[in-house]
Amino acid sequence: MPNMSLTKNPMPVQEPDVRNHNFEEVALGYTKEQAVDEANRCLHCKHKPCVAGCPVAIDIPEFIAKIKEEDFEGAYQIISKSSSLPAVCGRVCPQETQCESKCVRGVKGEPVAIGRLERFVADYHMANCKAAPVKPESNGHKVAVIGAGPSGLTCAGDLAKAGYEVTVFEALHTAGGVLVYGIPQFRLPKEIVQREIDTLKEIGVKVETNMVIGKVLSIDELFEDGFEAIFIGSGAGLPRFMNIPGENLKGVYSANEFLTRVNLMKAYREGSATPIQHAKKVAVVGGGNVAMDAARCAKRLGAEEVSIVYRRSEAEMPARLEEVEHAKEEGIVFRVLNNPTEILGTEDGFVKGMRCVRMELGEPDASGRRRPVEIPDSEYVLDVDCVIMSIGTSPNPLIRNTTKGLDTNRHGCIITEDESGQTSREGVYAGGDAVTGAATVILAMGAGKHAAKAIDEYIQAKK
Amino acid sequence: MYEILKKTILNPTVARMEIAAPLVAKKAEPGQFIILRVDEGGERIPLTVADFDREKGTVTIIYQIVGATTMALNQLEEGDCLHDFVGPLGTPSHTEGLKKVAVIGGGVGCAIAFPVAKKLHEQGTEVHSIVGFRNKDLVILEEEFSAVSDKMVMMTDDGSYGTKGLVTNALKELLDAGEQYDEVIAIGPLIMMKFVAKLTKEYGVKTIVSMNPIMIDGTGMCGGCRLSVGGQVKFACVDGPDFDGHEVDFDEAMERATMYKEFERHQYDEACNLFQKEVR
């Protein structure tokens, strides 16, 4: 019997006032019973609209049917045909604009909790399946992947499954990209990312860390080393600043620096070798997911007051609704329609305040969003000792500056022909934030997947 | 893992290590740096490439024990391994077309100045070196510098070796004596570079400094190492570390360098206690 409840089974979570003092995972995951009960809400539609909403096209009704039968490992096998990182995606995908937005049950009531079910299946597999995945037989062709973030790992996983000898080159000392340095532990435990990467290694993917491509090796040298195709998934990691006075004071961070210290270097842990400022009053400038992550980390580091300072209204915030809600529950203050104009410092160079102006919304701009306009004489000073700039990132110029014939646009993003990821250089493919500018994990994974298919076709056609 | 092939104590707080890192050695140029982590859980610290041997596949680093991480690094011996060693990073020093250059090194900064002086010497540039140390016990790389310099001046703050005084005193003397340099290259503590730049500005001599801000990734993704140069924000790890000394805002850089002073002092004390216990 289908479960005709109009609402999703709620996800058990840590209480807001408990979780905002620790870095443990906020969402605790479904129990078996909750998962099976939620799976019974799926109507098993013949035309599967949800699948079209998934950038990697997981056969959603199929895996949910296996959950109904309590064949959780079978469900995992179906997901892993399409996704290399299910435990990650079930946690960080914006399902409300993807798979779940297409769910028939969402027409009247809430859609099926596809993300939560995917997460349940992946976690079940990790906890219960001890058998090592089968390493496919090599087809003798070598492919290099630059960047071990979501797009690179997905591309590498798909190619390895097709028999390619794949080497992933990562600049940092740990693979995972934004999954390890950006998204905090309380949203995505790093142990889970590590296990997903270990699974890739077990199917033959080589991961070489500390390899800054463009410095230690160039794209051309990778071809000389016998790689037949190259996928660039180097992301968009170059932070933007506002260029307002006081931005170089001590206590002003880019969100990337703040999050890298906290997440990758584990500066939140007692006894960490990497320092971080334990500020009392923090302003995070920006309204995206990264801003929410930074604000919630600052709170967990012990800040008394953390504000999101955003120049538009809450309706225009690019962050996921769920993240905004979580942040609010944890006591993050939202100062929308506010824009910083200057950061003020103490005599010894630390942040002591931020001058802001209030804004109102005017006519829509080119992006269709109403443009914020300064309200005259609305200036005031916000009392803060730390400012985190989270106003976006752009692709790092390292690869485009060292690769001849690789076309990029005026934002520094690599230009690709179509969704195959083919660049202006033969045999060179690209995807993820390096192409689109800062976007989502799942879009990057989709791009990695398409590129893997295109690379396979390219190499097979050469023979 | 990156093996330490050779370790040499240069003075009571400074040591040299030759690290097996063939890919880094293959590409390294004077002026570039590496980032290392001593062990799992360690912090990332930047150190300049002091020398390299492309054939042997080795990179030489010279470090001064100033805090917990350099102290942990110094606990390692030949045959031990560094957990991470990434590079070469940053933009190589510009040396082409220079006919006569004054290279100024201060303290452990001499380790960074030396490969630049060596490269200039090898390409036929006339090199005048001015090296400065607090006292005789801290002198490093004297023979190495002599070997690549057409003229060399040794300075110590207290006069215990060479000439008493600061490197700026020596530079002023040379400039007043009519020496004409295409460029002055100054590498050392921020305060030293600041005063060298101040002096050469009066004389109108182009001056390049090698900046050493706090870094985390060293690849341009965080901006922790940002500086104001000519009124613009630059990331030292990708745009530098070399910059026009007359354009750099040294006062801001000196402020930013003290961001984690308290934390660092605490870590250093902890590390000292730990190592003392181990010795006992």
Side-chain angles (χ1 to χ4, degrees):
Chain A
M1 264 305 284
N3 170 355
M4 290 315 289
S5 165
L6 290 181
T7 54
K8 292 177 183 179
N9 260 322
M11 180 75 125
V13 292
Q14 276 196 74
E15 287 303 317
D17 264 342
V18 175
R19 70 183 193 235
N20 64 9
H21 297 293
N22 68 50
F23 276 82
E24 305 295 311
E25 197 171 12
V26 168
L28 302 170
Y30 278 164
T31 61
K32 271 187 205 178
E33 293 70 28
Q34 287 166 328
V36 173
D37 188 53
E38 182 65 27
N40 278 317
R41 292 186 64 230
C42 175
L43 301 176
H44 211 83
C45 308
K46 282 275 181 305
H47 64 305
K48 304 181 184 182
C50 51
V51 177
C54 173
V56 298
I58 293 172
D59 193 336
I60 293 162
E62 278 309 299
F63 95 76
I64 292 182
K66 293 283 180 193
I67 299 177
K68 290 181 193 174
E69 295 164 18
E70 299 196 24
D71 177 7
F72 306 127
E73 184 56 28
Y76 178 81
Q77 294 306 330
I78 290 166
I79 296 174
S80 69
K81 273 190 224 162
S82 309
S83 171
S84 296
L85 311 164
V88 173
C89 288
R91 287 174 166 81
V92 303
C93 272
Q95 289 99 3
E96 67 276 13
T97 59
Q98 297 179 335
C99 54
E100 294 181 17
S101 74
K102 304 275 167 53
C103 176
V104 169
R105 292 298 304 269
V107 177
K108 198 177 157 196
E110 289 182 349
V112 175
I114 301 167
R116 294 173 187 178
L117 290 174
E118 179 185 24
R119 170 191 162 138
F120 168 78
V121 167
D123 289 356
Y124 178 91
H125 170 81
M126 277 189 186
N128 296 291
C129 181
K130 302 283 173 263
V134 185
K135 190 175 166 180
E137 203 172 309
S138 167
N139 66 10
H141 295 282
K142 281 170 68 182
V143 178
V145 170
I146 300 168
S151 71
L153 292 176
T154 303
C155 186
D158 278 20
L159 287 168
K161 283 175 197 166
Y164 288 89
E165 287 178 24
V166 186
T167 306
V168 181
F169 295 97
E170 166 58 42
L172 290 172
H173 57 260
T174 308
V178 75
L179 307 176
V180 293
Y181 77 75
I183 302 175
Q185 180 78 6
F186 56 83
R187 278 216 294 136
L188 179 64
K190 302 307 146 217
E191 300 72 28
I192 285 172
V193 181
Q194 190 53 50
R195 261 181 292 175
E196 300 262 41
I197 291 166
D198 289 343
T199 308
L200 289 177
K201 286 184 181 166
E202 281 168 24
I203 62 167
V205 174
K206 274 190 227 137
V207 179
E208 294 209 27
T209 51
N210 295 331
M211 295 290 279
V212 184
I213 302 302
K215 284 285 176 195
V216 67
L217 286 172
S218 67
I219 298 265
D220 294 294
E221 285 168 314
L222 289 174
F223 278 123
E224 284 164 25
D225 284 351
F227 291 103
E228 292 166 70
I230 295 168
F231 174 76
I232 305 172
S234 50
L238 189 77
R240 288 194 201 122
F241 287 93
M242 292 188 75
N243 299 318
I244 57 175
E247 229 170 354
N248 289 347
L249 287 164
K250 290 177 282 187
V252 183
Y253 291 90
S254 72
N256 262 12
E257 178 184 354
F258 188 78
L259 290 171
T260 299
R261 284 181 182 273
V262 174
N263 300 323
L264 178 70
M265 306 311 296
K266 315 263 180 249
Y268 66 87
R269 285 187 191 160
E270 190 92 9
S272 159
T274 301
I276 187 104
Q277 184 192 5
H278 290 262
K280 287 199 172 61
K281 290 189 171 183
V282 180
V284 179
V285 181
N289 288 320
V290 176
M292 300 305 137
D293 285 344
R296 295 170 71 192
C297 283
K299 186 85 187 176
R300 283 162 171 78
L301 287 170
E304 291 155 15
E305 186 182 287
V306 181
S307 317
I308 292 280
V309 177
Y310 181 55
R311 66 200 182 112
R312 299 177 198 253
S313 78
E314 202 174 314
E316 285 83 21
M317 272 198 179
R320 289 183 70 187
L321 192 60
E322 187 185 312
E323 301 308 325
V324 174
E325 276 170 8
H326 277 155
K328 281 186 179 167
E329 286 168 8
E330 288 167 15
I332 309 295
V333 181
F334 280 66
R335 298 177 196 276
V336 297
L337 289 166
N338 279 286
N339 202 30
T341 55
E342 182 182 0
I343 299 163
L344 309 170
T346 61
E347 246 169 50
D348 52 358
F350 284 95
V351 172
K352 70 165 184 193
M354 185 165 81
R355 202 184 294 282
C356 298
V357 286
R358 297 187 201 283
M359 313 290 280
E360 59 190 357
L361 291 181
E363 294 299 309
D365 64 10
S367 73
R369 290 192 299 184
R370 291 177 65 192
R371 207 166 144 61
V373 187
E374 193 179 317
I375 300 174
D377 305 320
S378 63
E379 203 175 83
Y380 69 99
V381 173
L382 188 64
D383 177 21
V384 289
D385 57 352
C386 174
V387 175
I388 302 169
M389 287 294 170
S390 180
I391 53 169
T393 55
S394 49
N396 193 307
L398 212 48
I399 287 175
R400 68 172 187 261
N401 287 351
T402 54
T403 310
K404 280 203 188 94
L406 186 70
D407 292 346
T408 52
N409 68 17
R410 66 192 173 90
H411 300 293
C413 300
I414 298 170
I415 297 170
T416 55
E417 270 179 14
D418 47 41
E419 69 169 17
S420 73
Q422 168 71 58
T423 68
S424 53
R425 280 280 304 264
E426 192 194 329
V428 179
Y429 296 76
D433 289 0
V435 170
T436 57
T440 63
V441 168
I442 189 69
L443 282 176
M445 290 181 59
K449 199 166 191 65
H450 291 305
K453 188 164 166 273
I455 288 169
D456 181 35
E457 283 162 8
Y458 164 74
I459 290 177
Q460 297 306 325
K462 271 203 317 185
K463 278 195 279 189
Chain B
M1 299 293 255
Y2 305 82
E3 195 185 340
I4 298 162
L5 299 177
K6 202 168 168 208
K7 179 178 173 184
T8 321
I9 309 293
L10 299 183
N11 77 29
T13 61
V14 178
R16 172 165 58 199
M17 278 181 180
E18 221 175 290
I19 313 290
L23 286 171
V24 185
K26 205 172 146 194
K27 285 290 176 65
E29 291 288 345
Q32 290 189 296
F33 64 96
I34 56 92
I35 288 217
L36 65 81
R37 277 204 315 162
V38 174
D39 47 33
E40 179 85 67
E43 65 172 336
R44 295 168 68 98
I45 61 161
L47 286 172
T48 306
V49 171
D51 207 350
F52 48 84
D53 186 324
R54 302 209 201 280
E55 266 152 43
K56 274 166 67 190
T58 59
V59 174
T60 302
I61 51 170
I62 293 178
Y63 59 90
Q64 182 169 26
I65 303 161
V66 289
T69 297
T70 41
M71 191 182 273
L73 177 63
N74 198 46
Q75 294 293 306
L76 300 182
E77 299 299 336
E78 287 172 13
D80 291 339
C81 285
L82 297 176
H83 200 282
D84 297 289
F85 193 82
V86 55
L89 301 168
T91 309
S93 295
H94 169 83
T95 51
E96 289 94 73
L98 298 175
K99 293 205 177 58
K100 187 171 169 181
V101 171
V103 176
I104 303 176
V108 76
C110 290
I112 312 169
F114 169 67
V116 182
K118 183 176 159 193
K119 185 171 179 192
L120 287 166
H121 175 72
E122 280 168 1
Q123 70 180 28
T125 304
E126 186 179 341
V127 177
H128 291 184
S129 298
I130 305 171
V131 292
F133 301 92
R134 280 212 311 280
N135 60 52
K136 189 183 176 192
D137 294 340
L138 301 178
V139 172
I140 57 169
L141 301 174
E142 186 181 4
E143 275 172 40
E144 285 88 341
F145 260 108
S146 298
V148 300
S149 306
D150 297 280
K151 183 182 272 183
M152 169 147 155
V153 186
M154 168 68 67
M155 304 293 291
T156 51
D157 293 6
D158 64 355
S160 53
Y161 193 59
T163 311
K164 181 178 162 124
L166 304 171
V167 289
T168 39
N169 302 137
L171 178 62
K172 190 169 186 321
E173 224 167 85
L174 288 170
L175 290 169
D176 286 341
E179 295 285 3
Q180 301 271 337
Y181 298 115
D182 296 339
E183 230 175 62
V184 168
I185 299 175
I187 305 172
L190 287 166
I191 189 80
M192 178 209 101
M193 295 194 286
K194 175 183 166 171
F195 281 101
V196 168
K198 209 173 154 192
L199 175 70
T200 56
K201 197 161 185 183
E202 289 167 25
Y203 289 78
V205 186
K206 186 174 176 188
T207 298
I208 299 297
V209 295
S210 177
M211 299 301 286
N212 48 10
I214 295 171
M215 286 189 191
I216 303 106
D217 61 287
T219 64
M221 63 169 266
C222 86
C225 66
R226 64 193 186 275
L227 306 160
S228 296
V229 181
Q232 284 188 318
V233 174
K234 299 278 179 191
F235 290 5
C237 71
V238 287
D239 301 318
D242 288 1
F243 292 100
D244 182 337
H246 298 154
E247 301 264 301
V248 170
D249 184 339
F250 283 104
D251 294 336
E252 181 188 272
M254 282 190 274
E255 262 318 339
R256 284 184 65 77
T258 64
M259 173 79 199
Y260 299 106
K261 216 159 111 189
E262 255 174 69
F263 175 91
E264 283 160 359
R265 192 174 300 135
H266 173 77
Q267 295 290 99
Y268 184 68
D269 292 345
E270 292 269 296
C272 287
N273 290 337
L274 196 73
F275 293 137
Q276 272 165 11
K277 257 184 225 155
E278 271 175 17
V279 171
R280 267 181 233 147

